[in-house]
Amino acid sequence: MSHTLYQANAQRVQRCELAVPGSNPDMFEKALKSGVDYIFLDLEDAVAPDDKLQARKNVIQAINDLDWEGHGITLSVRINGLDTQYMVRDVVDLVEQAGSKIKTLLVPKVGVYGDVYMVEAMLNQLEMQQGLKNRIGIEALIETALGMANVEDIAKQGAIGGRLEALHFGVADYAASNRARTVNIGGLNPDYPGDQWHFAISRMTVACRAYGLRPIDGPFGDIKDPEGYKAGARRAAALGCEGKWAIHPSQIALANEVFTPPPAEVEKAKRILEALKEAAAQGKGAAALDGRLIDAASERMANNIVRMAEAIAAKTR
């Protein structure tokens, strides 16, 4: 291994992240009881311009009035973009009025690391001003051509800054930014031979894994196509993503199914670790299990599975 290693800034179970519009308070209670790992209350794309100010008030009230943590939910807020007049007051009002209960802020349409740095600087000052004991993390949406062109620098500088925890692939705006032809948010174009999002998700995931961040896949727009959702989630999981958005509660169980290691896979991982432990005791660096060679790389992959299963089990308990 290289002597240059970036440890994870924060470990969280994030198999599924439910998007909840801040302009629709009736959905807050339902989201609270959904059993999802992660929720972001949305102030950005899901809220019409005329509703932005009221949505911010709704979100702040919901953060303070509802017991999100008691329901096992990690709570995030997607703020408005840095190119809008809403973003500054989003950050200021959220931290001043509900900062102790917010785990992360999700920053949309990040194009360069400077976008993340601006939010970092605001959080530094506001947390000192409020005397907060918790440290609010940052998650960044990679959903433009500029963001993808700079994704490695965003991940690296964000990891050094210490607040950036995760990158999300925002497929809809990414498609628009690239003028890509698509028939459904997160769906596949039948004219493309394979998965047209493969390169983007893989590039983002590699940047995340290099610098200790969590890679999260974004939305799938057709809520009446559960198989299409699961197929997209499986492809993202195969590339290394830890979870996927849900834009409807019906998608939560689908994501959890895909991103929870099945018992047979966990059991095999444990057997790999035990077999390599026995081999090491005999002075061997490799072993055979079920007729296949296993070695140090097998051990690292097995450890990933076991640790994820343990984290999910601890959360669900």
Side-chain angles (χ1 to χ4, degrees), residues 17 32-33 38 63 71 77 99 129 141 151-153 164 179 203 219 227 255 283 285 294 301-302 316:
E17 181 155 1
L32 183 73
K33 299 176 182 178
Y38 226 93
I63 294 170
H71 283 77
V77 180
Q129 171 191 293
L141 259 165
V151 68
E152 290 86 6
D153 186 63
L164 189 62
R179 301 184 185 181
R203 182 174 180 182
E227 291 306 314
I294 55 175
M301 289 186 288
T316 54

Side-chain angles (χ1 to χ4, degrees), residues 125-183:
Q125 295 172 46
L126 287 164
E127 287 175 357
M128 286 189 289
Q129 171 191 293
Q130 297 302 113
L132 295 182
K133 296 180 180 179
N134 59 300
R135 193 167 193 247
I136 299 171
I138 294 175
E139 302 178 65
L141 259 165
I142 304 300
E143 51 184 340
T144 64
L146 181 63
M148 192 59 70
N150 292 306
V151 68
E152 290 86 6
D153 186 63
I154 292 167
K156 181 177 181 179
Q157 300 301 326
I160 293 172
R163 282 192 193 269
L164 189 62
E165 297 184 6
L167 300 181
H168 298 237
F169 179 55
V171 63
D173 280 300
Y174 183 77
S177 178
N178 282 280
R179 301 184 185 181
R181 294 182 178 181
T182 180
V183 294

Side-chain angles (χ1 to χ4, degrees), residues 23-253:
S23 54
N24 194 344
D26 292 340
M27 297 179 67
F28 295 164
E29 192 79 33
K30 296 177 183 177
L32 183 73
K33 299 176 182 178
S34 65
V36 73
D37 294 333
Y38 226 93
I39 283 175
F40 74 82
L41 302 178
D42 194 9
L43 299 177
E44 197 221 10
D45 279 357
V47 179
D50 289 346
D51 296 331
K52 294 286 189 183
L53 301 185
Q54 184 58 50
R56 187 190 298 146
K57 294 176 183 178
N58 295 342
V59 165
I60 290 171
Q61 182 175 350
I63 294 170
N64 286 319
D65 290 353
L66 301 178
D67 185 12
W68 303 96
E69 190 169 357
H71 283 77
I73 292 170
T74 300
L75 187 64
S76 180
V77 180
R78 177 161 71 167
I79 60 174
N80 283 287
L82 274 67
D83 59 337
T84 72
Q85 69 267 39
Y86 307 108
M87 173 267 179
V88 170
R89 291 261 39 119
D90 283 349
V91 177
V92 172
D93 289 358
L94 284 165
V95 178
E96 287 187 342
Q97 299 177 43
S100 64
K101 298 183 179 181
I102 298 171
K103 299 301 183 185
T104 69
L105 295 182
L106 178 58
V107 184
K109 299 175 180 65
V110 170
V112 296
Y113 170 66
D115 298 339
V116 176
Y117 181 78
M118 180 176 181
V119 181
E120 284 181 340
M122 291 183 69
L123 288 175
N124 289 340
Q125 295 172 46
L126 287 164
E127 287 175 357
M128 286 189 289
Q129 171 191 293
Q130 297 302 113
L132 295 182
K133 296 180 180 179
N134 59 300
R135 193 167 193 247
I136 299 171
I138 294 175
E139 302 178 65
L141 259 165
I142 304 300
E143 51 184 340
T144 64
L146 181 63
M148 192 59 70
N150 292 306
V151 68
E152 290 86 6
D153 186 63
I154 292 167
K156 181 177 181 179
Q157 300 301 326
I160 293 172
R163 282 192 193 269
L164 189 62
E165 297 184 6
L167 300 181
H168 298 237
F169 179 55
V171 63
D173 280 300
Y174 183 77
S177 178
N178 282 280
R179 301 184 185 181
R181 294 182 178 181
T182 180
V183 294
N184 168 41
I185 294 175
L188 302 181
N189 187 322
D191 293 330
Y192 187 87
D195 182 352
Q196 71 205 83
W197 314 121
H198 176 113
F199 167 75
I201 295 175
S202 181
R203 182 174 180 182
M204 185 194 77
T205 299
V206 169
C208 285
R209 295 308 182 192
Y211 299 112
L213 309 179
R214 300 186 304 276
I216 305 297
D217 191 21
F220 183 83
D222 190 350
I223 62 175
K224 295 182 180 179
D225 183 10
E227 291 306 314
Y229 180 96
K230 286 201 294 184
R234 285 194 291 266
R235 290 192 297 270
L239 292 172
C241 285
E242 293 190 16
K244 184 172 178 62
W245 287 17
I247 61 171
H248 189 273
S250 64
Q251 295 178 331
I252 296 172

